[in-house]
Amino acid sequence: MHDGRNRAAIRPGMRVRIVLKKDQRSGHLTEGEVKDILTSSSYHPHGIKVRLTDGQVGRVQEIVE
């Protein structure tokens, strides 16, 4: 399973699990499909920030194979 810290591993249309801002303490993951990649840098230690097709924004924790 790939993690979501490298921007190159993430593409629009992929299924991912993200942690929403409100869920950072609990660590609850939300699964969805990537619409936009919001982080401009190639790497982020807490996960690349993305917007899902349903409009939710969070940092990628896992890429669903």
Side-chain angles (χ1 to χ4, degrees):
M1 168 117 20
H2 298 299
D3 67 23
R5 293 191 299 230
N6 287 309
R7 192 175 188 274
I10 299 165
R11 300 264 181 276
M14 285 180 126
R15 299 282 307 166
V16 295
R17 293 192 185 103
I18 66 169
V19 63
L20 302 171
K21 188 79 174 170
K22 68 181 176 67
D23 294 330
Q24 280 175 347
R25 283 178 186 273
S26 68
H28 175 77
L29 298 180
T30 303
E31 189 169 320
E33 188 178 318
V34 176
K35 182 180 180 199
D36 302 307
I37 299 171
L38 304 177
T39 300
S40 56
S41 62
S42 63
Y43 176 86
H44 192 286
H46 300 126
I48 298 297
K49 190 176 278 187
V50 297
R51 179 181 296 114
L52 301 180
T53 51
D54 64 5
Q56 297 186 96
V57 173
R59 294 195 181 275
V60 177
Q61 301 301 301
E62 298 171 0
I63 295 170
V64 181
E65 295 300 325

